[in-house]
Amino acid sequence: DIPGVSSFCGAAAALCAEYTLPNVSQTVIITRMEGRTPVPEAEQLEKLAAHGATMVIFLSIGLVDKVRQALLESGGYRRIGYMPQISDLDKTFPISVREVVLSGLQARKKLFGRYTSADREKAENLLRICGIESVARRPIGALSGGQLQRALLGRALISDPKLLILDEPTNHLDMRSKDVLKEAIREFDGTVILVSHDRDFLDGLAT
């Protein structure tokens, strides 16, 4: 057996997912991040991503931050939105919900540069879409888990990414927040990498 193929096919069948599409993608590359077992140089994630390849990344859930960095550095996916787990955040940091959403533009903004009126308008629109406009001025430490996740979703989306990486996005979410997240993913016009153990959330979403 080729490592990863059985898991890939089993997951695709369980999720009723189709990974090749006529006139879009005819080839799927099954690969992984380098760990204790090295990966040949020509097959490293950065090399494959530089061509914008369609990939199934195997055995890499624990390395999601390294996967994200490799995709960013490859140049093949220049616009990436990333939604981390809440547990990775410092909730004591003095920043408002609106500032969290705007911070998703930092990679494009010049050092010490100001946000434009268009930037702020986009942030306000995402605050409305994510249902958190009423708490826009609150510090992140005053938010519920669901409100904070929605703020992070807004931050991930504000740069108009082509690739969206979501790390256990439904943790601490109530049903309202899950519905907002699911709708945002359905409306997203790009590639989504979603790490989740929430099968109920994935049902009807992964296609």
Side-chain angles (χ1 to χ4, degrees):
D1 289 347
I2 300 174
V5 171
S6 57
S7 297
F8 157 57
C9 293
L15 295 173
C16 299
E18 185 174 352
Y19 286 96
T20 59
L21 298 173
N23 301 318
V24 177
S25 175
Q26 300 300 309
T27 303
V28 176
I29 299 174
I30 301 174
T31 186
R32 62 178 175 83
M33 282 293 293
E34 186 170 67
R36 286 176 295 180
T37 305
V39 173
E41 183 178 355
E43 299 174 17
Q44 290 178 355
L45 200 60
E46 296 90 333
K47 300 266 186 172
L48 299 173
H51 302 285
T54 298
M55 295 181 285
V56 173
I57 304 173
F58 183 61
L59 289 177
S60 301
I61 289 179
L63 301 172
V64 67
D65 286 333
K66 291 184 178 180
V67 169
R68 171 178 174 268
Q69 191 62 35
L71 295 176
L72 279 171
E73 292 177 353
S74 72
Y77 301 98
R78 295 187 182 276
R79 298 209 302 264
I80 297 180
Y82 176 54
M83 184 177 171
Q85 294 190 42
I86 287 181
S87 58
D88 295 336
L89 299 177
D90 179 4
K91 298 178 187 176
T92 66
F93 192 78
I95 187 172
S96 71
V97 174
R98 180 179 286 109
E99 289 169 330
V100 167
V101 174
L102 281 167
S103 70
L105 295 170
Q106 285 290 341
R108 294 191 186 183
K109 189 167 68 69
K110 293 181 179 179
L111 187 64
F112 304 121
R114 295 184 177 183
Y115 295 112
T116 66
S117 59
D119 293 338
R120 296 186 180 280
E121 182 178 348
K122 184 181 290 187
E124 295 303 316
N125 185 48
L126 282 168
L127 288 166
R128 285 191 294 273
I129 290 173
C130 295
I132 49 175
E133 68 273 25
S134 63
V135 296
R137 294 185 179 181
R138 288 187 192 176
I140 59 173
L143 300 181
S144 68
Q147 289 171 331
L148 181 53
Q149 285 286 62
R150 283 187 262 166
L152 294 176
L153 175 63
R155 184 183 71 172
L157 292 172
I158 195 170
S159 63
D160 297 321
K162 294 297 184 183
L163 173 65
L164 188 60
I165 302 176
L166 309 176
D167 187 5
E168 296 289 359
T170 60
N171 285 357
H172 310 290
L173 291 193
D174 55 23
M175 291 306 299
R176 160 64 177 156
S177 296
K178 286 186 179 183
D179 288 342
V180 169
L181 176 60
K182 183 173 285 191
E183 186 60 27
I185 294 174
R186 283 174 173 161
E187 294 294 323
F188 179 68
D189 185 21
T191 301
V192 178
I193 295 177
L194 174 59
V195 178
S196 177
H197 293 86
D198 189 341
R199 282 298 305 271
D200 289 338
F201 178 78
L202 292 174
D203 285 344
L205 182 61
T207 57

